[in-house]
Amino acid sequence: MRVAAAIASLVLLAACDMGTEEREAVASTRTVQRGYAPVPPGTIPRGASAQAAALAPPGPERTPALLARGEERFRAFCSPCHGLSGRGDGPVVSRGFAPPPSYHEERLRALAPEQIVMVVTQGRGRMFPYADRVLPEDRWAIAHYVKELQARGIGAASGQKSTTP
Ligand code: HEC
């Protein structure tokens, strides 16, 4: 009795392993061709509204965790040009890339976090957009970190080394 059951389950397992049915199903989908259907007007790509919502001000709450994340992302994505302290003296600039303005200039001090998020999303002048590399939440984190750098006045004084913020 028990032996029979064991044999039966072995047979069943073997049948599962063969996977012939699955293969057939996969193969059959290759022959299915759907007719061309035009995209209806007003169609929003999947995720686009979620993206727009994630970028809408006021964005996520400014918490110590958000600032820490912003600092980390800023160092990775922005400091190569803008410098660790935001003075626009990162290593890329020392190799000949157009220097960005200092974050401590009056005009940039007046930028709201959402405007910084916009610059990261769309780029500006000679700065490329970073939308494909920096997630919307991280853009807010970076923007708040930039505001923090400005508020602390780090690097505002001339002659201060950007490597020691
Ligand atoms: C490859 C170099 C480079 C990188 C990396 C870079 N930037 Fe820039 N950024 C620039 C340059 C150059 C400008 C000046 C653009 C212009 O006015 O032509 C600029 C300008 C800006 C401005 C000022 C926009 C204004 O209103 O004038 C902000 C804010 C800014 N960048 C934020 C960021 C942030 C945040 C990051 C990281 C996600 C970043 N940048 C990464 C080169 C860079």
Side-chain angles (χ1 to χ4, degrees), residues 77-78 81-82 92 97-101 103 107-108 111 116 119-120 124-128 130 134 142 146:
F77 289 105
C78 319
C81 294
H82 286 275
V92 170
F97 193 83
Y103 287 154
R107 189 179 65 81
L108 298 193
L111 289 181
I116 299 173
V119 172
V120 179
R124 160 127 189 173
R126 289 155 296 164
M127 182 182 142
F128 320 109
Y130 281 79
V134 182
I142 290 172
V146 169

Side-chain angles (χ1 to χ4, degrees), residues 107-143:
R107 189 179 65 81
L108 298 193
R109 286 178 65 85
L111 289 181
E114 53 263 38
Q115 291 173 301
I116 299 173
V117 168
M118 281 276 280
V119 172
V120 179
T121 303
Q122 302 181 346
R124 160 127 189 173
R126 289 155 296 164
M127 182 182 142
F128 320 109
Y130 281 79
D132 57 345
R133 274 158 284 182
V134 182
L135 292 171
E137 305 87 88
D138 287 341
R139 287 174 224 166
W140 284 107
I142 290 172

Side-chain angles (χ1 to χ4, degrees), residues 66-111:
L66 190 83
L67 281 180
R69 173 74 179 167
E71 175 169 12
E72 195 247 320
R73 298 282 87 182
F74 175 86
R75 284 169 179 257
F77 289 105
C78 319
S79 72
C81 294
H82 286 275
L84 287 174
S85 60
R87 285 172 62 217
D89 57 355
V92 170
V93 172
S94 67
R95 288 187 179 82
F97 193 83
S102 168
Y103 287 154
H104 306 279
E105 276 179 15
E106 208 51 43
R107 189 179 65 81
L108 298 193
R109 286 178 65 85
L111 289 181

Side-chain angles (χ1 to χ4, degrees), residues 83-87 89 154-165:
L84 287 174
S85 60
R87 285 172 62 217
D89 57 355
I154 290 169
S158 58
Q160 196 177 329
K161 275 250 177 82
S162 70
T163 43
T164 51

